[in-house]
Amino acid sequence: MHIEENKSLKPYNTFGIEAVASHFAKVQSVDELAALLSMPEYPHPFILGGGSNMLLTKDIDTLVIHIALKGIEIVEETENDVYVRAHAGENWHNFVLWCIAKDFGGVENLSLIPGNVGGAPIQNIGAYGVELKDVFVSCEAFDISEKKIKTFHLKACNFGYRESIFKNQEKGKYIITSVTVRLTKGNHQLRTQYGDIQAQLEANGIANPTIRDVSNAVIAIRQSKLPDPKEIGNSGSFFKNPVISIAQLDDLKRNFPDIPNYKVSDTEVKIPAGWLIEKAGFKGKTFSNYGVHKKQALVLVNYGGAKGKDIFELSQLIRKTIYRIFNINLATEVNIV
Ligand code: EPU
């Protein structure tokens, strides 16, 4: 296995930020991963997956291990369901397309999410009314201190909205190596209730959608709002949608009667952070080579050559402003490195 020195990480992060890794290696098997993790020269390596949910604000002065474990396989079939395992280095969207080509249903709403399979359980990826947890069976992860593979079933992952044990209690202890999902072989349970999907299907004149139609609708919606990282650097939603109490919502409604909100429990609602950021005047704002996306205020963008620090400072300015206007604390969804 080759360890490169002074490697540019620009092609490895969807924000397109220039940062240099002092050492860099790509692993294609669990054995290679285990070998690298036992090298005494690099006691605290940096694990890099698809690089789609991080903002690099500095160079990385240790070994960067890029997880490139490949493969998708059917592990079990029942009359109605199929269990499919995808290895961590597979591109998530290619995995979704693989499932659709085989007519396996369950992940079509998660089309076009950037990043790799290995990152999916860490933040329980979600879009258009579906989260990974809805199809998740288990994942395998390399235990860094015990140097062996461990299996985590659904319950053990403690999934929440963009949350899991891998981001919280067990942060930094495991490296996801594969994910197994349960999908339907026919009789698919389509989830098209999410407003935009229904409207998109109707616009396409589709009354009885297939999973491919739903996937195509999701792709069209995402392409209309979210910048393609190949063209404009970004990491999707930069912030999480905040959850506030109904009492606070009632209070805010006095000044902002049109504030959108979605019930999450009898006492709490979720507010679209994109709306707050737009209302605060940041939508489409550009500061030389970075800014807030024109079509979706929740996405910060690098127009080319921006520094991670500048984008981080913009995010702090947005957080302060939102707190001042709405008394709401925005949590960052993207990992700041
Ligand atoms: N909105 C605005 N202005 C904006 C953006 C949004 O007013 O500039 C308001 C509108 O009221 C709109 C509502 O926000 O109806 C919701 O917007 P959208 O449907 O675009 O969804 P979102 O809440 O902004 C979330 C996820 C996305 C996911 C979409 C679709 C989070 C943090 N983000 O965005 O996930 O694709 O729903 O399900 O939950 C990601 O995690 O990187 C990501 C892109």
Side-chain angles (χ1 to χ4, degrees):
M1 203 178 356
H2 179 52
I3 298 184
E4 295 174 72
E5 284 183 24
N6 296 323
K7 174 92 170 168
S8 166
L9 296 176
K10 195 170 169 197
Y12 295 94
N13 73 100
T14 60
F15 244 127
I17 301 288
E18 183 56 271
V20 175
S22 64
H23 298 85
F24 179 95
K26 213 178 228 185
V27 297
Q28 281 160 321
S29 70
V30 172
D31 287 345
E32 283 182 354
L33 178 61
L36 279 180
L37 290 171
S38 7
M39 290 177 74
E41 302 94 296
Y42 312 109
H44 303 292
F46 179 93
I47 307 302
L48 175 66
S52 62
N53 203 41
M54 64 176 194
L55 176 65
L56 291 165
T57 61
K58 55 180 190 296
D59 290 338
I60 300 188
D61 195 21
T62 182
L63 173 66
V64 170
I65 302 180
H66 179 45
I67 306 296
L69 306 167
K70 300 284 183 188
I72 303 175
E73 65 250 356
I74 294 172
V75 286
E76 195 188 325
E77 277 191 68
T78 62
E79 199 185 328
N80 300 316
D81 296 331
V82 56
Y83 292 68
V84 180
R85 175 164 58 216
H87 293 265
E90 288 289 340
N91 171 272
W92 174 264
H93 182 59
N94 285 345
F95 168 60
V96 170
L97 293 180
W98 184 96
C99 297
I100 290 167
K102 296 231 168 337
D103 197 30
F104 296 160
V107 284
E108 54 282 356
N109 293 41
L110 304 177
S111 296
L112 213 61
I113 293 186
N116 288 353
V117 166
I122 296 178
Q123 57 154 342
N124 179 29
I125 57 168
Y128 305 102
V130 176
E131 290 181 334
L132 176 70
K133 74 170 169 51
D134 302 329
V135 292
F136 184 93
V137 176
S138 62
C139 65
E140 288 182 314
F142 191 83
D143 182 328
I144 296 174
S145 62
E146 292 191 18
K147 309 240 175 316
K148 60 174 195 210
I149 291 281
K150 202 171 154 184
T151 301
F152 290 82
H153 286 94
L154 177 64
K155 266 204 171 150
C157 296
N158 220 353
F159 288 130
Y161 167 56
R162 298 291 192 279
E163 291 293 351
S164 75
I165 52 156
F166 305 110
K167 261 179 93 170
N168 294 295
Q169 304 94 295
E170 306 293 347
K171 190 173 173 167
K173 293 188 195 159
Y174 296 96
I175 298 166
I176 311 286
T177 56
S178 74
V179 174
T180 301
V181 295
R182 181 173 56 231
L183 303 170
T184 48
K185 290 203 289 189
N187 196 15
H188 303 306
Q189 306 294 309
L190 298 186
R191 274 141 306 177
T192 57
Q193 322 80 304
Y194 192 93
D196 288 352
I197 296 189
Q198 204 54 52
Q200 186 68 39
L201 289 168
E202 278 164 26
N204 295 349
I206 295 166
N208 295 306
T210 61
I211 55 172
R212 188 178 291 279
D213 294 328
V214 174
S215 168
N216 286 339
V218 168
I219 290 172
I221 298 165
R222 289 189 76 100
Q223 284 175 339
S224 72
K225 291 192 191 180
L226 298 167
D228 180 349
K230 287 194 200 93
E231 288 158 20
I232 303 176
N234 75 92
S235 269
S237 303
F238 199 92
F239 303 100
K240 285 171 54 164
N241 286 329
V243 173
I244 64 169
S245 69
I246 288 181
Q248 185 176 4
L249 174 69
D250 289 342
D251 210 36
L252 284 167
K253 272 186 180 163
R254 274 188 241 134
N255 287 327
F256 308 100
D258 58 339
I259 185 167
N261 59 89
Y262 309 97
K263 193 175 166 185
V264 292
S265 73
D266 284 345
T267 54
E268 288 177 319
V269 286
K270 198 184 262 185
I271 309 290
W275 185 90
L276 299 171
I277 298 168
E278 179 172 350
K279 202 80 185 166
F282 283 105
K283 191 172 186 172
K285 269 246 154 102
T286 302
F287 305 81
S288 65
N289 49 7
Y290 62 98
V292 179
H293 188 51
K294 291 186 191 71
K295 298 182 194 159
Q296 163 56 287
L298 198 46
V299 179
L300 303 189
V301 290
N302 169 14
Y303 289 109
K307 298 224 172 338
K309 268 192 184 148
D310 291 339
I311 294 174
F312 176 67
E313 270 163 30
L314 170 59
S315 77
Q316 294 300 90
L317 174 66
I318 292 172
R319 292 185 66 204
K320 270 189 213 141
T321 312
I322 298 302
Y323 186 74
R324 183 168 46 76
I325 302 177
F326 303 101
N327 196 25
I328 290 177
N329 245 321
L330 283 188
T332 302
E333 205 230 81
V334 165
N335 296 312
I336 311 293
V337 178

